[in-house]
Amino acid sequence: MLNTIAKPFVRLVERYLPDPYIFVLILTLVAFAAAMLVEGNSPHAVMVMWGDGFWGLLTFSMQMLLVLVTGFMLASTPLVKGILNRLASLARTPGQAILLVTYVALAASWINWGFGLVVGGLFAKALARQVRVHYPLLIAAAYSGFIVWHGGLAGSIPLTIATEGHFTQEQIGIIGTGQTIFSFFNLAIVVMLFIAVPLVNRWMLPPEEDSHYVDAETLKDGTEVDVAVTRPAEHLENSRILAWLIGFSGIAYAINYFAGGGGLNLNIVNFMFLFLAIVLHQTPRRLLNSLQEAIKGGAGIVIQFPFYAGIMAVMTQSGLAATISNGFVSIASADSLPFWSFISAGVVNIFVPSGGGQWAVQAPVMIPAAQELGADLPRVAMAVGWGDAWTNLLQPFWALPVLAIAGLKAKDIMGFCLVQLIITGALISIGLTWF
């Protein structure tokens, strides 16, 4: 049984996986050493690369933080929470709870990765209030849905290369989402994962005697209690009219944006999440209370993302990322290049967990290789995206928001994710190579 196979992976991770902050510090030192030993850079040169690049992703970091914060605020509105609670009531057994949270997380992540992370975490807690279920696996199942994000509507690489003026346009032109997100091979991979990931999570469910349940305090849903309004300022804080005037103005702008031909990007996604949350929370005070909870989930991003920006600078400027990519490309053919692009992207993602940033690192290697070999360029680009999404099951950085919502640590869930890493890696490889 898969739950027996999963036990050694769970024990291994519980014993040896450090906190994600420690993880990024270790990765920094590994990148330093590799840049010096493999690429022959001096310690001083590596230090300068790292320091100069440390603040290089501030805009992107803020976008990522806002995706999580605005996604949390939207998911914690009474309307969305009510929908999640009604869905949770459908589960009657632990197995049903595991399947249900995985399907919801997969669907939400395919729509938007930030929304998927937040909805998955909140829905898992709603399920845990309904059903006694192994809590670490329930949260791991919620996080495992994240695997599909780069093959979905918010995939940063396919959206980047479909956007006029992208940085590789002179080399590859504009590649529409019909060749990437909505291509047959990509949709086939998504369908396979929608079938396999929930079943694998269900089969890893331990027997009742080995299950770990959660205390009632952790499962509190933060339901707000209205307080008496006595000061004029409090009337403004609790004004529905003020919230709706601003909120519906934002929604009107979003409608006008899409009616004018605007496309999905991180800024418009954050904009929609924020203004829908403003409307659905109904008062500024409720929105601000939700914001206080949301910020907790983003704390890890605030401190860790600059370190990853520094690592990315070292990987790029030292030539290390190109060496890794070239190493895989050198053994590739036109047919196998998507597979090796996928594997190399998975390795690079451990050091640079950023879809957009990773394409900036690997595109200068992958695009010329695809053109020289005559490989399918949209497939190669999606392979890099899938590699980026795949090893997030090993790299704990993006699990931080889910863990903050759940009240767990990375070591509690990553053993189950490691099993998913092996199985989903095989399925994605088949889809990229044979479909």
Side-chain angles (χ1 to χ4, degrees):
M1 295 293 292
L2 199 54
N3 58 1
T4 302
I5 296 172
K7 282 183 179 180
F9 291 97
V10 173
R11 287 196 295 266
L12 177 70
V13 169
E14 286 179 346
R15 186 171 179 82
Y16 293 106
L17 182 69
D19 182 88
Y21 173 65
I22 304 302
F23 191 77
V24 72
L25 297 185
I26 294 171
L27 286 179
T28 299
L29 296 178
V30 170
F32 279 15
M36 290 183 283
L37 297 176
V38 177
E39 300 299 330
N41 292 277
S42 68
H44 178 266
V46 174
M47 177 192 67
V48 171
M49 295 173 197
W50 177 68
D52 287 348
F54 199 79
W55 303 114
L57 290 175
L58 284 181
T59 299
F60 187 62
S61 301
M62 189 63 178
Q63 288 174 320
M64 296 298 101
L65 181 61
L66 282 172
V67 167
L68 296 171
V69 169
T70 58
F72 184 100
M73 289 192 297
L74 178 59
S76 62
T77 60
L79 175 64
V80 177
K81 284 171 65 174
I83 293 172
L84 294 179
N85 287 331
R86 283 192 291 275
L87 280 174
S89 67
L90 298 176
R92 295 287 185 269
T93 66
Q96 291 175 358
I98 296 297
L99 288 171
L100 195 55
V101 75
T102 310
Y103 283 125
V104 168
L106 283 164
S109 294
W110 189 81
I111 295 170
N112 179 272
W113 68 266
F115 194 57
L117 286 176
V118 173
V119 166
L122 291 174
F123 186 49
K125 290 183 72 172
L127 282 163
R129 288 191 287 269
Q130 298 281 343
V131 180
R132 279 174 56 83
V133 58
H134 186 66
Y135 194 59
L137 176 58
L138 185 71
I139 302 304
Y143 179 60
S144 67
F146 190 50
I147 183 70
V148 301
W149 84 269
H150 223 138
L153 298 181
S156 62
I157 291 177
L159 291 182
T160 295
I161 61 178
T163 302
E164 183 74 32
H166 68 85
F167 70 95
T168 55
Q169 183 173 343
E170 290 187 5
Q171 296 170 275
I172 65 175
I174 303 296
I175 298 177
T177 54
Q179 296 176 268
T180 53
I181 295 173
F182 299 108
S183 64
F184 173 77
F185 77 86
N186 188 68
L187 292 176
I189 293 172
V190 170
V191 169
M192 282 198 301
L193 294 178
F194 264 77
I195 296 171
V197 173
L199 291 177
V200 171
N201 285 331
R202 171 63 183 87
W203 291 333
M204 286 192 290
L205 184 67
E208 186 174 354
E209 60 269 20
D210 293 332
S211 293
H212 299 287
Y213 302 112
V214 64
D215 59 89
E217 183 66 23
T218 301
L219 294 177
K220 288 176 64 176
D221 65 359
T223 301
E224 297 179 22
V225 178
D226 290 330
V227 297
V229 177
T230 58
R231 298 182 299 114
E234 290 175 337
H235 283 284
L236 290 175
E237 292 174 359
N238 290 276
S239 170
R240 285 181 170 83
I241 294 175
L242 182 60
W244 286 345
L245 283 174
I246 295 299
F248 283 114
S249 296
I251 292 173
Y253 169 81
I255 293 172
N256 181 72
Y257 171 84
F258 287 112
L264 275 178
N265 56 51
L266 285 176
N267 288 334
I268 193 62
V269 167
N270 286 334
F271 190 91
M272 290 189 299
F273 279 9
L274 173 60
F275 284 94
L276 283 171
I278 289 173
V279 169
L280 294 176
H281 274 294
Q282 300 186 32
T283 71
R285 173 46 52 200
R286 291 175 184 171
L287 182 84
L288 292 173
N289 290 341
S290 175
L291 174 63
Q292 293 298 318
E293 290 297 314
I295 286 294
K296 297 176 184 177
I301 290 178
V302 172
I303 190 63
Q304 290 183 41
F305 221 97
F307 282 95
Y308 282 110
I311 293 172
M312 188 171 80
V314 171
M315 295 278 291
T316 306
Q317 296 175 31
S318 70
L320 189 58
T323 297
I324 293 173
S325 299
N326 279 319
F328 289 104
V329 166
S330 65
I331 57 175
S333 64
D335 292 333
S336 66
L337 183 61
F339 168 76
W340 291 116
S341 300
F342 167 67
I343 299 297
S344 68
V347 174
V348 173
N349 178 65
I350 295 173
F351 294 89
V352 188
S354 159
Q358 185 156 338
W359 181 238
V361 170
Q362 293 197 262
V365 176
M366 296 305 174
I367 291 174
Q371 291 171 336
E372 181 179 343
L373 293 172
D376 183 351
L377 192 50
R379 187 184 294 257
V380 169
M382 288 305 298
V384 174
W386 279 110
D388 165 78
W390 174 51
T391 48
N392 285 325
L393 291 169
L394 174 65
Q395 167 39 286
F397 177 69
W398 292 115
L400 292 174
V402 178
L403 294 170
I405 293 169
L408 295 180
K409 296 182 178 180
K411 65 180 180 63
D412 297 322
I413 72 167
M414 297 309 289
F416 299 109
C417 293
L418 190 56
V419 176
Q420 286 284 10
L421 178 86
I422 296 169
I423 294 172
T424 57
L427 293 175
I428 295 168
S429 297
I430 291 170
L432 289 171
T433 304
W434 297 108
F435 288 159

